[in-house]
């Protein structure tokens, strides 16, 4: 199924996407977004449930007594200032759809509309519109609040636009596709003193510098080189003036990995290194290690199904079945921990300096809306059958 020739539906999706882009809302605040999505789904004749995970929306379409599957799109925007000049630019200062969730919603809405009018399947489709993907774990909250108890499904599927791929190219693979994401905060307490008399204190800035370098030995000397990991210190906060060695330094950073056992090694290694470096210099420390999103791990069987649907949508030559996994994280991982499923990327053809994820110049490529919607339709018919 390809809807590229359905000009009316493509026009609807473009209108929906641009409206959503102009009215961005961030994590768990997607009130108007939720209402907008609900009203559209209701107009398609679907059974609509609103309020799971505060602002989440789930719509159900049943045609026959076949199995049930769930399709998910995320709804939230980012806290960032938009730098585009498009007519549909953000009308909410300091908020923008810089990750393409507006496009994700429009594509899933398009699929819901089409399938409600063309029921070439036997079973149930749950259309899941999830809040708070960006940092706040809305996917986890939906699962904890009984998403799959209230809306039973044998499998769950997700899709994300991917500017690093050419427009119209799709990619997926079994196993980890996106990384687990943890955060660290390390407070090093030394002894403050005059900047001209460092021998009278214990300089936490020097200790922090040594620690930052020591942490890089985790990826270079501790973890197997075939296991991709990232330990990045992204903040260093210390001191208030030029001639005072501060009493303490606070470091913050991100830790990324793909396999659970590697994740455990990272945590234990960070604790050991922090303790060793600080004790060697006579400083004390406080380490906070927060486990964030798990890795996004695709089920092999469901990935095969998604690959067939992708090939049917864009052709075999435009489907990459062995992409390089991303160190980015995705809270769809929580749904994949609860149910087998698969996450795919849809290329949108970003350009350097703009149209890249989380860039202030980003704007979703409306030229691929029909591709994403066609994929969803093909996936439903691949799993639940078609009477064509």
């Amino acid at each position: 199924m390809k809807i590229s020739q359905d000009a009316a539906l493509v026009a609807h999706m473009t209108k929906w996407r641009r409206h959503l882009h102009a009215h961005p809302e961030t994590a768990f605040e997607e009130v108007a977004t939720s209402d907008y999505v609900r009203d559209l789904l209701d107009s398609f004749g679907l059974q609509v449930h609103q309020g799971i995970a505060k602002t989440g929306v789930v719509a159900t379409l049943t045609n026959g007594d076949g199995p049930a599957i769930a399709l998910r799109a995320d709804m939230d925007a980012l806290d960032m200032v938009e730098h585009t000049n498009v007519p549909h630019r953000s009308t909410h200062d300091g908020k923008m759809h810089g990750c393409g969730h507006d496009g994700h919603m429009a594509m899933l809405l398009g699929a819901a509309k089409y399938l409600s009018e063309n029921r070439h399947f036997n079973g149930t489709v749950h259309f899941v519109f999830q809040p708070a993907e960006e940092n706040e774990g809305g996917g986890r909250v939906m699962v904890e609040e009984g998403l799959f108890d209230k809306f039973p499904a044998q499998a769950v599927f997700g899709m994300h636009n991917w500017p690093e791929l050419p427009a119209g190219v799709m990619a997926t693979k079994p196993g980890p596709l996106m990384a687990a994401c943890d955060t660290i905060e390390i407070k090093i307490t030394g002894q403050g003193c005059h900047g001209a008399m460092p021998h009278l204190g214990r300089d936490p800035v020097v200790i922090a510098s040594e620690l930052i370098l020591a942490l890089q030995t985790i990826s270079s000397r501790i973890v197997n080189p075939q296991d991709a990991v990232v330990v990045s210190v992204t903040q260093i906060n210390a001191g208030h003036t030029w001639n005072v060695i501060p009493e303490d330094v606070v470091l913050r950073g991100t830790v990324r990995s793909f396999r659970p056992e590697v994740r455990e090694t990272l945590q234990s290694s960070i604790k050991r290194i922090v303790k060793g470096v600080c004790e060697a210099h006579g400083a004390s420390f406080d380490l906070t290690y927060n486990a964030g999103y798990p890795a996004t791990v695709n089920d092999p069987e469901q990935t095969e199904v998604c690959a067939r649907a992708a090939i049917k949508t864009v052709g075999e030559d435009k489907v990459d079945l062995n992409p390089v996994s991303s160190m980015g994280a995705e809270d769809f991982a929580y749904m994949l921990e609860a149910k087998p499923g698969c996450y795919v990327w849809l290329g949108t053809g970003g350009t350097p300096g703009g149209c890249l994820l989380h860039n202030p110049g980003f704007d979703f490529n409306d030229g691929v809306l029909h591709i994403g919607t066609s994929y969803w339709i093909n996936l439903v018919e691949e799993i639940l059958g078609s009477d064509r």
Side-chain angles (χ1 to χ4, degrees):
M1 168 61 202
K2 296 181 180 179
I3 66 161
S4 56
Q5 295 181 345
D6 190 338
L9 182 55
V10 172
H12 282 310
M13 290 191 296
T14 303
K15 176 183 176 182
W16 302 334
R17 205 282 299 179
R18 295 182 179 183
H19 171 89
L20 291 163
H21 187 91
H23 301 88
E25 296 174 301
T26 48
F28 295 121
E29 297 177 350
E30 309 95 332
V31 176
T33 301
S34 178
D35 289 344
Y36 184 80
V37 168
R38 177 206 61 201
D39 290 346
L40 284 170
L41 293 166
D42 187 64
S43 73
F44 305 157
L46 277 63
Q47 297 178 2
V48 184
H49 176 94
Q50 195 174 17
I52 187 169
K54 192 174 180 179
T55 52
V57 181
V58 181
T60 299
L61 178 62
T62 298
N63 189 59
D65 57 1
I69 61 173
L71 313 180
R72 172 268 201 178
D74 34 19
M75 301 194 301
D76 56 324
L78 288 157
D79 288 304
M80 55 188 296
V81 176
E82 181 166 354
H83 289 171
T84 73
N85 293 314
V86 296
H88 51 275
R89 72 187 310 273
S90 173
T91 58
H92 297 171
D93 291 342
K95 300 181 187 295
M96 74 168 289
H97 271 294
C99 202
H101 297 183
D102 49 345
H104 299 169
M105 287 185 281
M107 292 185 292
L108 193 56
L109 286 166
K113 178 174 173 58
Y114 179 90
L115 290 167
S116 69
E117 298 169 351
N118 303 272
R119 304 189 180 197
H120 306 301
F121 65 93
N122 177 38
T124 296
V125 184
H126 300 299
F127 300 90
V128 179
F129 292 82
Q130 179 215 301
E133 187 277 328
E134 299 288 354
N135 301 317
E136 299 300 327
R140 173 183 54 78
V141 178
M142 290 194 97
V143 172
E144 290 176 349
E145 291 189 5
L147 173 65
F148 296 118
D149 297 323
K150 298 172 182 176
F151 308 96
Q154 70 174 23
V156 63
F157 302 93
M159 174 167 51
H160 203 293
N161 78 98
W162 212 245
E164 297 166 56
L165 291 173
V169 169
M170 300 190 72
T172 191
K173 67 178 179 180
L177 185 66
M178 301 186 74
C181 172
D182 301 332
T183 60
I184 53 173
E185 180 175 290
I186 307 163
K187 182 178 180 180
I188 302 169
T189 302
Q191 183 176 336
C193 62
H194 196 296
M197 305 172 189
H199 61 292
L200 298 179
R202 292 186 184 90
D203 190 343
V205 176
V206 173
I207 299 169
S209 301
E210 181 176 327
L211 176 57
I212 292 169
L213 293 176
L215 289 173
Q216 300 314 305
T217 65
I218 296 174
S219 59
S220 66
R221 290 297 181 270
I222 296 174
V223 174
N224 188 321
Q226 296 185 32
D227 285 312
V229 300
V230 168
V231 180
S232 291
V233 175
T234 56
Q235 295 182 41
I236 305 173
N237 299 293
H240 301 285
T241 190
W242 293 270
N243 61 345
V244 175
I245 291 175
E247 187 81 4
D248 51 52
V249 173
V250 175
L251 306 177
R252 297 187 181 95
T254 186
V255 182
R256 308 291 174 114
S257 60
F258 290 111
R259 297 197 296 126
E261 54 269 37
V262 173
R263 197 179 191 187
E264 292 177 6
T265 297
L266 286 168
Q267 183 170 355
S268 62
S269 297
I270 289 170
K271 290 180 178 178
R272 185 180 67 254
I273 291 171
V274 171
K275 183 175 185 291
V277 170
C278 289
E279 288 185 350
H281 291 279
S284 60
F285 70 92
D286 182 32
L287 168 63
T288 302
Y289 191 105
N290 292 313
Y293 296 175
T296 303
V297 182
N298 285 337
D299 176 81
E301 181 179 349
Q302 301 304 328
T303 302
E304 288 186 13
V305 176
C306 290
R308 293 197 297 270
I311 290 170
K312 185 176 179 181
T313 303
V314 298
E316 189 170 3
D317 61 326
K318 290 188 177 181
V319 177
D320 182 355
L321 296 180
N322 190 31
V324 176
S325 299
S326 171
M327 280 296 179
E330 164 62 64
D331 80 342
F332 184 68
Y334 292 108
M335 296 189 185
L336 289 176
E337 286 188 331
K339 292 288 179 179
C342 179
Y343 196 64
V344 303
W345 293 332
L346 171 61
T348 51
T351 57
C355 291
L356 300 175
L357 299 180
H358 293 213
N359 182 287
F362 179 88
D363 187 30
F364 188 90
N365 181 357
D366 288 333
V368 304
L369 286 171
H370 70 279
I371 298 175
T373 295
S374 295
Y375 166 76
W376 284 134
I377 296 166
N378 287 330
L379 181 62
V380 169
E381 295 185 355
E382 183 72 31
I383 299 172
L384 302 181
S386 171
D387 63 6
R388 289 185 175 183

